[in-house]
C-alpha cells in the first residue's frame, strides 16, 4: 500500500515520487497537505530546517520536478546580494511566460521586484496554479537588507498572487526572526537519517552484477565502521563507491563466495581503517586512493596525504591559548608593564617577594579571571577584536577541554569556586 496519497495528483506520479525519496515519506506527505491542489492558495511561506545531508534540498527538488509544479529554485550562496537574488528569480520566471525576453532583467529595489513579478505572472498558466519559490541556504538572507526576509515571508500578500516561498536552512527559525517582528512561516523539521535509513538508502545503489543481499552486507560493515564519526549521506555514498572494489576482491579471485562474510571483513578491514583518516578531508583524489589500495601502500606514501593530518586551530583560539598562558604564569602587577605601550615610569627595585624568587613554571599555573584573559587577548591581537559570541564560544571550548583533562587526571574540581588555569602541558596537548 503506497504511503503517499493525494486526490489532486495521479497515483502513478505519487508512487514514482515515493520510490525517489525513501525514508522521507512523512515529510513529503506533510508538504503535499500544505500545497493542496494546484489552483489552491497554499501557505504563504514555509521554513524547512535540518542538519547537513538530511534531504531538504533533494526532497524539494524531486517533489516539485516529479509533480511538474511551477517553481523557481535559487541558492542564496551563489546569489549573495539582494539585487542578484531578485534578478535571478525574475530570470527563471521568464521560462514560464509565453514571450521570451532577450534583454536582461534589471531590478534595483524591492518595489521594482514586486512590479516585475506581477508582470511575469500574467500568463494564464501561472495564474491557474501555485508558483513555488525555493530559497536554498536561506541563512544568507540575514546578511542582506533588512526588508528582504520579511518581504519574502509575505510575498503572497504583497503581490496578491498565488505564490509560496519555501526557505531551506541548517539553522533554526529563532536565529532568523527579526527584532521588529515579521510574518511567522510554517516551520518544518527534517531529522537526521538513522542508521536504518542510511542502510536502506545506500543499499539501493547496488551494482547489477552482485546480489542485493551481498551489497547490503557490505553497507552494514561500512556503517559499522563510519557511522559514529560520519552521518553525512553524501560522504558515506562516496566511501561506499570507493571501497566496494576492495571488498569484492576475494570473490573476484575465487577465494571466497558472497556468503563468506568473515573473509570479506578481514580483507576490507585495514583499508577501511586507512579511509577513516581521510573522512571529509579530501587530501587526495579518488583515483589516487584507488591506486593506493591496489598497491597496498601506506597512507603516508602518497604526496599530500599524511597519516597524522595537521589540523589548524581557529584563529582566535591560538591567541586565547597564548593569553591564558600569560595570565597563568605572569603576576597581575606585571600586566601594565608588558601589555601597555604608554605605561609610564616604573621604578627599578630589587625587592622581591619570597615566593617570587622561585620560577613561576616550577610553582605551576595560577588562576585568573575572565576579564584579565580578555584584556590580554585584546592587547596581543593586531586588529580590533569585538567581544562577540564567537570569542566566548571558543573560550568555552578551551575551558571544557581543560576540565575534561583534569577529570581524566582525577583532579578535584571545587564547584563554583573553580578558576581557570592553563598549563604548558595543556597547551602542548592542544597543539598535538
Amino acid at each position: 500500500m503506497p504511503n503517499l496519497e493525494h486526490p489532486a495528483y495521479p497515483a502513478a506520479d505519487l508512487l514514482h515520487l515515493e520510490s525517489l525519496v525513501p525514508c522521507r515519506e512523512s515529510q513529503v506527505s506533510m508538504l503535499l497537505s500544505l500545497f493542496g491542489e494546484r489552483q489552491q492558495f497554499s501557505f504563504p511561506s514555509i521554513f524547512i530546517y535540518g542538519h547537513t545531508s538530511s534531504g531538504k534540498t533533494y526532497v524539494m527538488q524531486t517533489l516539485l520536478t516529479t509533480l511538474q509544479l511551477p517553481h523557481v529554485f535559487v541558492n542564496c550562496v551563489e546569489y549573495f546580494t539582494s539585487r542578484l537574488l531578485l534578478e535571478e528569480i525574475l530570470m527563471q520566471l521568464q521560462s514560464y511566460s509565453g514571450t521570451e525576453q532577450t534583454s536582461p532583467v534589471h531590478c534595483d529595489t524591492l518595489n521594482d521586484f514586486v512590479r516585475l513579478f506581477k508582470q511575469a505572472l500574467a500568463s494564464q498558466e501561472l495564474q491557474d496554479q501555485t508558483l513555488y519559490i525555493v530559497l536554498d541556504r536561506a541563512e544568507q538572507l540575514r546578511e542582506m537588507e533588512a526588508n528582504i526576509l520579511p518581504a519574502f515571508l509575505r510575498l503572497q500578500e504583497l503581490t496578491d498572487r498565488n505564490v509560496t516561498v519555501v526557505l531551506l536552512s541548517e539553522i533554526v527559525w529563532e536565529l532568523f526572526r527579526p527584532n521588529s517582528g515579521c510574518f511567522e512561516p510554517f516551520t518544518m523539521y527534517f531529522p537526521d537519517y538513522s542508521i536504518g535509513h542510511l542502510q536502506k538508502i545506500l543499499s539501493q545503489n547496488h551494482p547489477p552484477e552482485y546480489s542485493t543481499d551481498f551489497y547490503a552486507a557490505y553497507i552494514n560493515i561500512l556503517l559499522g565502521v563510519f557511522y559514529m564519526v560520519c552521518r553525512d549521506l553524501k560522504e558515506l555514498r562516496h566511501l561506499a563507491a570507493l571501497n566496494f572494489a576492495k571488498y569484492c576482491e576475494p570473490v573476484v579471485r575465487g577465494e571466497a563466495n558472497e556468503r563468506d562474510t568473515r573473509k570479506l571483513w578481514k580483507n576490507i578491514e585495514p583499508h577501511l581503517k586507512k579511509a577513516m583518516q581521510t573522512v571529509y578531508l579530501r587530501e587526495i583524489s579518488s583515483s589516487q586512493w584507488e591506486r593506493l589500495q591496489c598497491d597496498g601502500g601506506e597512507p603516508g606514501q602518497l604526496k599530500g596525504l599524511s597519516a597524522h593530518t595537521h589540523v589548524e586551530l581557529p584563529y582566535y583560539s591560538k591567541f586565547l591559548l597564548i593569553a591564558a598562558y600569560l595570565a597563568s604564569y605572569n603576576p597581575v602587577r606585571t600586566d601594565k608593564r608588558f601589555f601597555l605601550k604608554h605605561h609610564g615610569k616604573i621604578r627599578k627595585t630589587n625587592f622581591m617577594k619570597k615566593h617570587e624568587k622561585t620560577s613561576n613554571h616550577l610553582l605551576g599555573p595560577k588562576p585568573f579571571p575572565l576579564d584579565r584573559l580578555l584584556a590580554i587577548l585584546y592587547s596581543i591581537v593586531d586588529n580590533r577584536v569585538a567581544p562577540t559570541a564567537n570569542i566566548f564560544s571558543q573560550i568555552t571550548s578551551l575551558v571544557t577541554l581543560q576540565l575534561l583533562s583534569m577529570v581524566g587526571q582525577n583532579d578535584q574540581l571545587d564547584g563554583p569556586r573553580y578558576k581557570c588555569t592553563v598549563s604548558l602541558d595543556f597547551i602542548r596537548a592542544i597543539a598535538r
Side-chain angles (χ1 to χ4, degrees), residues 270-271 273-275 277-278 283-284 288-289 291-293 295-310:
H271 301 277
K273 289 182 178 179
K274 294 177 186 177
Q277 301 173 7
T278 60
E283 290 181 306
I284 59 175
Q288 287 178 308
W289 175 255
R291 187 163 62 253
L292 177 66
Q293 285 184 326
D295 298 341
E298 293 298 323
Q301 294 178 0
L302 271 183
K303 184 179 180 181
L305 181 64
S306 57
H308 302 284
T309 308
H310 177 68

Side-chain angles (χ1 to χ4, degrees), residues 370-382:
L370 179 61
D371 293 340
R372 187 180 175 216
L373 171 67
L374 293 176
I376 296 177
L377 172 69
Y378 299 152
S379 64
I380 63 177
V381 178
D382 293 336

